[in-house]
Amino acid sequence: HKFEEAEKEYLETLDLANHARDNNFVALCYKNLSELYYNRKKYKDAKRYIIAAMIPNNEYLNEIYYFAAKVLQNLNEDIEEYLLLALDICEKSDRENSQLIEKIIYELIVLYTVQNNEPNLVNIIEKLDKLNIDLSLIYPVIIGYYMEKDIEKGILFNKKYIERIKHLKVIWLK
């Protein structure tokens, strides 16, 4: 019952946003509809709305691309393009959105380790030091990947991870 009420309100709000010709508001309404269907596990409907939300130059485009990747992942479709688009927008104009950047990086790291795509994995790893994000979920995935592929690199990343934690926790053990 709550789903139908929420859907009705989102559609009414979308109609208002369209009449106001506010692309940011329209995009947000479509994203909200997509999230509504996603939470009901109606991924094809969620996809339809998240694609509609991809209005060029709207201020939510990085979040929309990230959410599109989540939706498409549940439909076993390629998600890399949307994650990279979201990351590109964040790097250019939304660097302070560290939580979103962290989620995007995590998903890319997982994707590249599953695909065994070391060149792309290395490209993302090189960005880590430049980004001010929490790496507590990211480094263990990298370490696990390299412990299976190249034990020396796994040990190296484990040491980097420990150093990063020491720096964050301001623990200077010698």
Side-chain angles (χ1 to χ4, degrees):
H1 203 64
K2 287 185 180 183
F3 173 82
E4 289 80 15
E5 287 176 28
E7 179 186 40
K8 182 180 177 217
E9 284 189 33
Y10 283 142
L11 289 170
E12 288 172 1
T13 305
L14 175 62
D15 191 44
L16 291 172
N18 276 319
H19 284 305
R21 298 178 197 258
D22 183 338
N23 284 344
N24 290 324
F25 195 28
V26 170
L28 189 59
C29 289
Y30 278 126
K31 181 180 178 281
N32 288 341
L33 280 160
S34 180
E35 288 175 353
L36 184 68
Y37 283 97
Y38 179 86
N39 290 333
R40 294 291 303 262
K41 299 185 182 344
K42 295 183 175 188
Y43 302 120
K44 288 181 181 178
D45 291 321
K47 177 183 174 181
R48 182 169 42 101
Y49 284 114
I50 202 63
I51 297 298
M54 293 180 192
I55 299 167
N57 302 318
N58 81 72
E59 67 183 70
Y60 305 105
L61 205 48
N62 54 349
E63 294 171 23
I64 288 166
Y65 284 145
Y66 172 72
F67 192 72
K70 286 180 63 173
V71 170
L72 294 177
Q73 190 171 34
N74 283 285
L75 293 169
N76 296 316
E77 294 185 31
D78 186 35
I79 63 172
E80 180 182 19
E81 176 185 0
Y82 291 111
L83 291 171
L84 291 173
L85 287 168
L87 182 60
D88 185 56
I89 293 170
C90 287
E91 288 179 324
K92 287 179 181 171
S93 61
D94 200 9
R95 283 190 167 267
E96 66 277 359
N97 197 342
S98 60
Q99 287 184 324
L100 180 59
I101 295 170
E102 178 187 340
K103 290 176 186 177
I104 296 165
I105 294 285
Y106 176 80
E107 293 297 336
L108 284 167
I109 294 282
V110 169
L111 178 67
Y112 294 146
T113 58
V114 168
Q115 291 176 343
N116 200 20
N117 187 335
E118 189 167 10
N120 285 351
L121 179 62
V122 169
N123 286 339
I124 295 297
I125 290 170
E126 288 173 356
K127 294 178 184 245
L128 294 180
D129 290 334
K130 298 173 193 148
L131 299 170
N132 186 27
I133 59 172
D134 180 0
L135 299 172
S136 60
L137 290 176
I138 294 168
Y139 261 98
V141 175
I142 297 168
I143 293 165
Y145 173 79
Y146 280 115
M147 288 302 223
E148 290 182 14
K149 300 285 178 202
D150 183 343
I151 192 79
E152 289 178 17
K153 279 188 181 177
I155 292 168
L156 175 69
F157 278 106
N158 193 47
K159 287 179 181 177
K160 278 185 171 183
Y161 182 49
I162 290 169
E163 288 305 312
R164 182 89 180 221
I165 291 173
K166 282 182 188 177
H167 180 72
L168 290 174
K169 300 287 185 185
V170 193
I171 298 173
W172 302 104
L173 303 173
K174 293 193 178 204

